[in-house]
């Protein structure tokens, strides 16, 4: 006859074997932050790559369909009066990127912008936050 203790050990042993292998410790950084990693900060707002991509995509969609939205008529040409060093040549276009992480469709544009080329290549993020007048600073 099997004792209760032996039965309990046998049951616990089978449960342990059914568990997945333990995770490595410490966890690899990419396991902790996969898609929600801050890649760019404008002022106190940290933007994810997916949010940046969505803003460029939305702005580029308007540009390619020859449409503009909002009182600032976005997207519009960004003249780069500040002289930022972008990878591609002008013309550049600016389009709002919002603190709500939703694509801009009109209304208040907030202080932050994505800058992209006519070919929809991201050049950088700029912000009015901390800049004087209507100037921009790089994020």
């Amino acid at each position: 006859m099997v004792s209760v203790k032996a039965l309990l050990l046998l049951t616990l042993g089978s449960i342990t074997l059914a568990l997945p292998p333990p995770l490595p410790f410490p966890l690899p950084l990419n396991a902790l932050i996969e898609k929600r990693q801050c890649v760019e900060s404008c002022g106190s707002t940290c933007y994810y790559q997916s949010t940046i991509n969505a803003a460029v995509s939305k702005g580029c969609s308007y540009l390619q369909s020859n449409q503009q939205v909002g009182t600032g008529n976005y997207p519009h040409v960004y003249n780069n009066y500040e002289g930022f060093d972008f990878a591609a040549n002008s013309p550049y276009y600016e389009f709002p990127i919002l603190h709500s992480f939703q694509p801009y469709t009109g209304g208040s544009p907030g202080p932050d912008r994505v800058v992209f080329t006519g070919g929809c290549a991201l050049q950088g993020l700029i912000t009015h936050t901390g800049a004087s007048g209507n100037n921009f600073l790089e994020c």
Side-chain angles (χ1 to χ4, degrees):
M1 180 159 180
V2 178
S3 71
V4 174
K5 184 176 181 181
L7 186 57
L8 183 59
L9 287 174
L10 182 60
T11 304
L12 288 176
S14 64
I15 290 173
T16 303
L17 293 176
L19 293 175
L23 292 174
F25 190 79
L27 290 174
L29 187 57
N30 62 351
L32 297 173
I33 333 173
E34 203 160 306
K35 291 187 178 184
R36 294 296 181 184
Q37 182 178 11
C38 173
V39 295
E40 195 75 59
S41 293
C42 292
S44 62
T45 303
C46 223
Y47 291 108
Y48 309 130
Q49 190 64 55
S50 59
T51 306
I52 296 167
N53 293 347
V56 170
S57 178
K58 190 70 163 180
C60 196
S61 173
Y62 284 123
L63 181 67
Q64 290 176 338
S65 64
N66 205 26
Q67 295 179 321
Q68 293 179 307
V69 293
T71 56
N73 296 320
Y74 296 102
H76 59 248
V77 171
Y78 172 64
N79 293 303
N80 196 16
Y81 295 130
E82 294 83 1
F84 299 130
D85 187 23
F86 296 127
N89 294 326
S90 62
Y92 306 116
Y93 298 89
E94 68 174 275
F95 191 75
I97 184 168
L98 302 176
H99 292 181
S100 67
F101 306 107
Q102 299 300 312
Y104 179 75
T105 57
S108 173
D112 304 336
R113 307 284 184 274
V114 290
V115 176
F116 57 93
T117 64
C120 305
L122 174 67
Q123 297 302 297
L125 272 70
I126 56 177
T127 184
H128 286 300
T129 302
S132 61
N134 202 29
N135 293 326
F136 285 104
L137 296 173
E138 282 188 286
C139 293

